[in-house]
Amino acid sequence: MPLFLLAVGCSSGSSDGGDSSDAETVEGDTGSGGNTGTDSDDNTGTDTDTDTETGQSSAPQELIANAFSGTSIGLSWQRDGVTYRIYRGGEKIAETSSAFYVDQGLSVNTEYSYAVTSGDLDNDEQTARASAKTLINNSNSGLNNGAVTVPVLERLVNLDECKNVRSALDLLDEDLDTCLEAMLELNNMAGHLQDMRAFAARVRSEQDPAMIELGMRLFYSKSLSANDDVACASCHHAAVGCSGDNLSMPVGVNPVDSALIGPGRSDGINEVPIVPRNAQPICNVGLWSQGLFWDNRVALTDRGVRTDSRDVSLNTEAAVGTGTLALMMAQAHFPITNPAEMGDVTQFGYDASSDSGNTNYREDIVAANLGRESWSALFSAAFGDDQITFSRIAQAIAAFEAVQLFIDNPFFDYVDGDSSALDSDEKRGAITFMSGNSGCTNCHAGAFFTSEGPRPANYPQIGIGTDENGSGADLGANGAGAFRPPTLLNVAITGPWGHSGQFATLRRNVEHYRDRAASINQYYANSEMCDLAQFEHLANCATKVAPNGLALSQAILAANGGDAGNNLSDTEIDLVVRFLGTLTDPDAANSASNSIRTLIPPRDGGPDGRQLDAKDGAGNAL
């Protein structure tokens, strides 16, 4: 099973912590989790170690490498009990039977290549290879996630470096780099990117491998649901859309086929899902610093964790304070008690309207459903004893979610100085996106590409909505259709788009901002909700999916005072979409990448035989 990485010698896991000058290994047993310790480098091992079961030399599976700071890099691979030798740049630096290793005392802003083998270093079948680059410095505290709340809004016509043109379409190819580099400097993109990378490195380094392993098993366990038929991964599978489900609105409880993820998933009764909002991707959730859910109803404020439940807020702060895991741990409490998502507490006799009813259900039913005989080893490895509480469940899930970070992409390669990372259309798209003409950065600025706080988006209203009166309305966070702008990192692979998955294509989503009033009219005139894969075969689709949609959407638009739009041309919209595609991490887009496979447990049924071993609509294992 894949394990993740435990920082050694770092001060509180921060990227500015002091690193030992000697490389160290982190050692654990070969069972679930395990105690950790350190081994010094051992160069006395032979070069022909073999697999203890087959007698054959083998390469470690799912090897990944990531920066932990400006002077350390972490490696991890699939746990299998074999002793491996670790090489940096062809030189042996360590030997370990653990499944992770932290290389320290490195130079800042330097890329290192690693090879891990139990056999012949020169044999590609027996050796796994990976590389990673240390942070640009070792002084960034990693407390800024790269998001920007007050963007720079400058029009191209005011920039001499951009020839004072009105549109990126007017730029010659030879002027693109000069213009784009000026806009990047104006927006301090390099600085925000450094901050986000340091933030991600800190988050990675803080997580205990045993805690992450427990969290992964819990995340894929149907034992957390009321009827043992839904897992967190049912709507957030690592192999699907950056840990999403590719549905407009998820299908939670009572699925016809609990193993089926994504298009085709149904409860066999409700033609329109009873979960009203799109399941947001889990990847990069560890980067959010202000709030979670589409309406930020789980938030961090100057007074601490804020949620709809005093019990949850206090429980979270008691366990992890207001640090890295606080938002994710608090959020993990709520799907468990949502009757449409994972369970109806009332079927067990608990009062769903009271804080204590939900709290007691989580402890008495959910936590108790994890038999100690099956789960004790994992909990003991993570917490030091085998006590199973929901607080511990939520904390472990948060640790697993925290390491799902995918922030490498061609655009950031360009920011780093590789002018060939983008083609001319992608550069024009980036210029258009960052120009004040488009207004995109009003909500999506900085390297994290979000302002984090809810903004009115005036999206078409579809689905059952959140209005308790059953009108179908979803008024968002501030009562006028305001939702948290999602990060645009990996946005091209996280559709359908919108808080209820309203748009079938990313281009149509971008087009919506040209003139939102016209977009809403077009949406209902063309019954675009019926273009969505989830509803395209539904008879009387428009009537069922959005019976009051146009009136509800127009009311929200009126409440926001109309919409000026950005007046981008069709060609400019195409260019912005091309640019957004450059924000995709290649590993996130490749379900067979090591970075994705490390987030999926082996198909062994899990600790208690109730693991979600998922498949897609074609029956292919995920």
Side-chain angles (χ1 to χ4, degrees):
M1 177 181 298
L3 278 178
F4 293 81
L5 309 169
L6 176 64
V8 177
C10 295
S11 175
S12 300
S14 300
S15 59
D16 62 347
D19 285 319
S20 168
S21 60
D22 296 325
E24 298 179 66
T25 60
V26 184
E27 190 83 356
D29 68 17
T30 58
S32 298
N35 297 324
T36 59
T38 58
D39 286 342
S40 59
D41 293 354
D42 180 2
N43 293 309
T44 62
T46 67
D47 289 336
T48 57
D49 292 342
T50 58
D51 187 296
T52 56
E53 292 185 4
T54 66
Q56 300 295 318
S57 298
S58 61
Q61 301 299 301
E62 299 166 5
L63 174 67
I64 59 174
N66 288 293
F68 267 24
S69 71
T71 55
S72 61
I73 288 174
L75 307 174
S76 73
W77 53 91
Q78 186 181 41
R79 175 183 290 279
D80 56 14
V82 175
T83 296
Y84 289 108
R85 297 183 307 284
I86 302 169
Y87 295 81
R88 183 205 315 128
E91 178 182 354
K92 182 180 176 182
I93 59 172
E95 186 172 293
T96 181
S97 58
S98 183
F100 45 93
Y101 175 79
V102 181
D103 190 15
Q104 303 188 75
L106 305 176
S107 298
V108 299
N109 198 28
T110 303
E111 184 160 355
Y112 291 90
S113 297
Y114 296 91
V116 183
T117 183
S118 64
D120 182 355
L121 178 64
D122 297 323
N123 186 327
D124 289 340
E125 293 184 357
Q126 299 176 6
T127 303
R129 304 179 192 279
S131 62
K133 189 176 185 179
T134 53
L135 298 182
I136 197 168
N137 59 56
N138 213 33
S139 58
N140 193 314
S141 65
L143 299 179
N144 188 322
N145 65 352
V148 171
T149 56
V150 182
V152 175
L153 297 174
E154 187 62 82
R155 294 179 177 271
L156 295 178
V157 72
N158 296 325
L159 295 176
D160 293 341
E161 297 90 342
C162 297
K163 305 298 182 183
N164 306 106
V165 299
R166 293 189 176 274
S167 168
L169 295 172
D170 301 325
L171 286 167
L172 299 175
D173 281 1
E174 55 263 35
D175 295 325
L176 289 174
D177 287 325
T178 300
C179 176
L180 181 51
E181 288 165 8
M183 298 197 74
L184 293 175
E185 183 175 356
L186 187 66
N187 286 271
N188 190 27
M189 187 61 73
H192 296 316
L193 178 55
Q194 290 175 28
D195 285 344
M196 185 174 69
R197 284 172 172 162
F199 192 101
R202 177 184 60 80
V203 169
R204 285 191 180 106
S205 70
E206 286 177 347
Q207 310 315 317
D208 186 314
M211 186 75 74
I212 296 168
E213 184 172 350
L214 170 60
M216 177 172 62
R217 287 296 194 173
L218 291 167
F219 196 85
Y220 284 83
S221 177
K222 293 181 287 186
S223 294
L224 300 188
S225 64
N227 300 321
D228 293 334
D229 59 1
V230 184
C232 301
S234 296
C235 301
H236 304 282
H237 197 284
V240 180
C242 220
S243 292
D245 67 356
N246 286 352
L247 295 174
S248 293
M249 288 162 275
V251 175
V253 297
N254 303 318
V256 173
D257 185 348
S258 63
L260 176 58
I261 305 299
R265 184 177 173 89
S266 169
D267 63 9
I269 299 174
N270 297 290
E271 294 178 305
V272 178
I274 56 176
V275 180
R277 291 177 179 165
N278 178 262
Q280 296 187 78
I282 294 297
C283 75
N284 295 329
V285 69
L287 297 180
W288 292 92
S289 64
Q290 292 187 23
L292 294 179
F293 288 117
W294 279 102
D295 52 10
N296 271 7
R297 64 184 182 273
V298 167
L300 278 178
T301 71
D302 55 0
R303 295 185 177 182
V305 177
R306 189 200 73 213
T307 73
D308 294 335
S309 164
R310 176 177 170 81
D311 283 357
V312 171
S313 300
L314 294 177
N315 183 43
T316 299
E317 290 192 22
V320 298
T322 58
T324 300
L325 297 183
L327 283 174
M328 290 172 285
M329 179 179 171
Q331 186 275 338
H333 285 71
F334 293 100
I336 302 294
T337 55
N338 186 304
E341 295 182 27
M342 296 186 73
D344 184 353
V345 306
T346 63
Q347 76 181 66
F348 295 91
Y350 293 90
D351 180 5
S353 66
S354 72
D355 215 9
S356 61
N358 289 307
T359 298
N360 292 337
Y361 168 78
R362 294 184 187 105
E363 296 296 344
D364 299 345
I365 302 300
V366 178
N369 200 28
L370 301 181
R372 286 200 174 184
E373 185 174 334
S374 301
W375 289 90
S376 62
L378 286 164
F379 275 86
S380 292
F383 290 101
D385 63 66
D386 66 356
Q387 182 183 12
I388 300 174
T389 67
F390 191 82
S391 177
R392 288 182 166 189
I393 291 170
Q395 182 178 344
I397 288 174
F400 171 61
E401 291 179 344
V403 297
Q404 299 188 38
L405 299 170
F406 293 88
I407 60 173
D408 296 325
N409 58 59
F411 176 65
F412 289 159
D413 290 340
Y414 185 93
V415 175
D416 287 336
D418 181 2
S419 61
S420 67
L422 307 182
D423 65 27
S424 59
D425 281 348
E426 292 164 344
K427 292 173 185 177
R428 284 191 170 86
I431 291 168
T432 303
F433 180 91
M434 288 188 287
S435 168
N437 306 43
S438 71
C440 298
T441 55
N442 277 317
C443 298
H444 301 286
F448 194 26
F449 287 93
T450 178
S451 60
E452 296 205 65
R455 302 286 182 90
N458 300 322
Y459 272 51
Q461 295 275 296
I462 69 171
I464 68 167
T466 58
D467 180 12
E468 294 181 356
N469 295 321
S471 70
D474 188 345
L475 301 182
N478 299 322
F483 297 92
R484 183 189 70 172
T487 171
L488 298 184
L489 296 179
N490 305 298
V491 67
I493 61 172
T494 59
W497 293 267
H499 66 270
S500 294
Q502 290 95 326
F503 293 119
T505 68
L506 180 57
R507 189 194 187 284
R508 179 65 180 89
N509 188 81
V510 175
E511 182 188 34
H512 173 71
Y513 289 93
R514 176 165 59 190
D515 184 335
R516 283 174 277 192
S519 173
I520 286 170
N521 290 329
Q522 173 188 334
Y523 190 88
Y524 293 102
N526 296 334
S527 297
E528 290 184 39
M529 72 290 293
C530 302
D531 295 334
L532 298 165
Q534 196 167 11
F535 307 121
E536 60 184 357
H537 302 301
L538 183 60
N540 301 315
C541 164
T543 301
K544 293 176 179 176
V545 177
N548 305 311
L550 178 58
L552 293 170
S553 302
Q554 289 176 334
I556 288 176
L557 190 65
N560 290 323
D563 180 29
N566 56 34
N567 296 316
L568 293 180
S569 69
D570 284 345
T571 303
E572 288 172 317
I573 289 173
D574 289 338
L575 292 174
V576 169
V577 174
R578 285 290 304 275
F579 161 65
L580 293 177
T582 71
L583 302 181
T584 302
D585 188 315
D587 282 341
N590 178 12
S591 61
S593 69
N594 285 353
S595 296
I596 293 292
R597 302 319 298 178
T598 60
L599 301 174
I600 303 172
R603 302 176 72 86
D604 57 8
D608 57 10
R610 289 181 285 195
Q611 179 172 287
L612 172 68
D613 291 330
K615 63 182 179 181
D616 62 19
N620 301 310
L622 293 175

